[in-house]
Amino acid sequence: MNDNPSRSTELSANIRRLQNRIEELGRIGAITGGGVWRVALSDEDQEGRNLVVRWMNDLGLSIQVDQIGNVIGTRAGVLDCAPVLIGSHIDSVATGGLYDGALGVLAGLEAIQTLSEADLKTQYPIAVGFFTNEEGVRFTPDMMGSAVHQGSLSLQTALETVGTDGQTVGAELIRIGYAGDTPVKNMTPQAYLELHIEQGPVLENTNTTIGAVTGVQGISWTEFELQGVSNHAGTTPMHLRHDAGYVAAAIAVEARAIATDFGDNQVATIGVSELTPNLINVIANRARVTVDLRNTSDAKLHQAETRLIGFATDTAATEGVTLEKRTLARFSPVEFDTVIIDMVEKAAASSNHTYRRLPSGAGHDAQMFAPNCPTGMIFIPSTQGISHNINEFSSEQDIAAGMDVLMKVLLELLQKQLSN
Ligand code: GLV
Ligand code: MN
Ligand code: MN
C-alpha cells in the first residue's frame, strides 16, 4: 500500500462510474416521466438499500446496520479509531429526484473505490453511510436515523413512530430486513462530510459551481387538526358555521403573510391540506394542515411559530372549531465547522472552481453530526433550483466538480487531526 499522502492530490474519481450508479439506483422506484418514489422503509427503499449494500460489499467494506437501520460501511485506516464519515440518504420524497441524498452516498462509495484502486493507505478509517428516513414524509421527524445515531432522538421514540399509513418505523424496519443489531450512539466520527445538490437557485443564479455550506437553517413542522361541524353549504348562515376548512385555509394564508412580513430568510409552506368529507356542497367538519416554517435565526423562527399558533388558536375559537396541534419536527439552526468550510473553499480554489459560502435551506443528516464532530457540506448547483420534484437535475460537469472538492477535503481530513 502507498502511504505517501502527497500522492493523494493527484487522485481523481471515476465520474462515469458515479453517474452509472446514480442512474442504476434511480431505476429503483422510478416514476414515469423521471424521478423516484423511494419513501423511507418502503419496498423500494429496501431494494435501494440492498443495491448500495451490495456495492459496499463489492468494495470489501466492513458493514454495520444499526438498530434504527442506518447502514455504515468502513474501510480500515492505519489507526484503529473512529472514521471520517461521508454520509447522506437514499430515501426520497414521493416526488423525488435522482440526486437528493443519493449523490452524497454514491460519492462516498466512489471516493473509497478511488482510494482502493490507488492502493492508498489513510491514517484514519473512511466510512460511507446512509441514514434512515432523512425525508420525513412518511414518518416524522426528518433526519430520523442520523438524529438517533447522534443521540438527539431516542431509539424508542423513533421505533414507535407511526407513519402516514399507520405502520410503525420499528415494524417496517423488521419487515424490510434492516432492524440491525449495532447499538446506536456508538460512534462519533473524526469528521463528517456530505456532498449534496443545493436544491435551491443561489449557485446557478450566481454562476457558481461549489457551495461551501456554512450551516443549516432552523426547521419547524407543525400539524394542525381542526374539528368543526358538517352542514349544508346552501342553507347554513355564515354566522352559524363551524367550518374546519375555513380555519385551515386561514392558517395557510397567515403562514404566507408571516413569511412576507418577516422577509429575509423566513419561508413558510403548507405541504398537506386535507378536508373531510371533501365534498363541494358540505361544510368541512375536519381539516388537517401542516406548516413548515424555516429561518436561519432561531429567535425569528420562534417569533414566526408564536404568531402562527396565536393566529390559529384565535381563528379556531372565533369559528367554534376545536384545534389540536402537534410539533412534528423542530430543529434549531446549526453552524458547520469553520475549518472544514475553509477547506472546501481552498479545495475549490485550487481546482479553479467558482465557489461561495451559503447556508442550506434544506435539512440534512450533516446537521445532526455538527454538534458532535467537525462537520461540513459541499453543494453543487441544481438546475433551475428545482428539487423534491421529478425534474431535479445536476449536470455531470457539476457532479465532477463536487466530487473533486470532496476528494480533496477528504484526503486532507483522512491524514489530519481535527478537534470540534
Ligand atoms: C428534507 O429534505 C427537508 O429539508 O425537508
Ligand atoms: Mn437530501
Ligand atoms: Mn430531500
Side-chain angles (χ1 to χ4, degrees), residues 89 93 100 134-135 196 199 363 387-388:
H89 60 99
V93 296
D100 178 358
E134 190 273 352
E135 293 292 5
H196 207 284
Q199 310 183 267
S387 186
H388 286 184

Side-chain angles (χ1 to χ4, degrees), residues 22-186:
I22 291 171
E23 285 160 26
E24 190 172 343
L25 182 56
R27 285 194 280 278
I28 298 176
I31 297 171
T32 311
V36 288
W37 189 107
R38 218 166 39 240
V39 169
L41 310 184
S42 61
D43 292 351
E44 289 78 2
D45 185 23
Q46 175 189 40
E47 206 185 323
R49 285 165 172 263
N50 291 347
L51 178 63
V52 176
V53 166
R54 173 156 71 70
W55 285 330
M56 287 178 170
N57 270 315
D58 291 347
L59 292 179
L61 305 186
S62 133
I63 301 174
Q64 291 191 318
V65 182
D66 73 18
Q67 295 160 301
I68 192 65
N70 299 318
V71 178
I72 296 184
T74 305
R75 177 182 188 262
V78 174
L79 302 172
D80 183 16
C81 62
V84 173
L85 177 58
I86 303 181
S88 203
H89 60 99
I90 61 165
D91 68 313
S92 77
V93 296
T95 54
L98 264 57
Y99 304 88
D100 178 358
L103 172 65
V105 177
L106 302 180
L109 280 182
E110 181 54 41
I112 291 178
Q113 190 156 2
T114 303
L115 292 175
S116 293
E117 285 174 351
D119 211 12
L120 192 81
K121 190 160 69 176
T122 59
Q123 278 295 104
Y124 296 112
I126 172 171
V128 55
F130 57 85
F131 298 98
T132 295
N133 184 36
E134 190 273 352
E135 293 292 5
V137 292
R138 181 181 180 199
F139 304 101
T140 57
D142 47 350
M143 283 75 76
M144 179 179 272
S146 46
V148 173
H149 190 277
Q150 287 299 290
S152 59
L153 177 67
S154 86
L155 174 65
Q156 182 82 352
T157 303
L159 293 176
E160 288 170 0
T161 302
V162 179
T164 50
D165 52 6
Q167 305 299 320
T168 63
V169 167
E172 286 295 88
L173 275 172
I174 292 168
R175 185 185 71 79
I176 69 165
Y178 280 88
D181 50 18
T182 299
V184 293
K185 294 190 256 179
N186 72 333

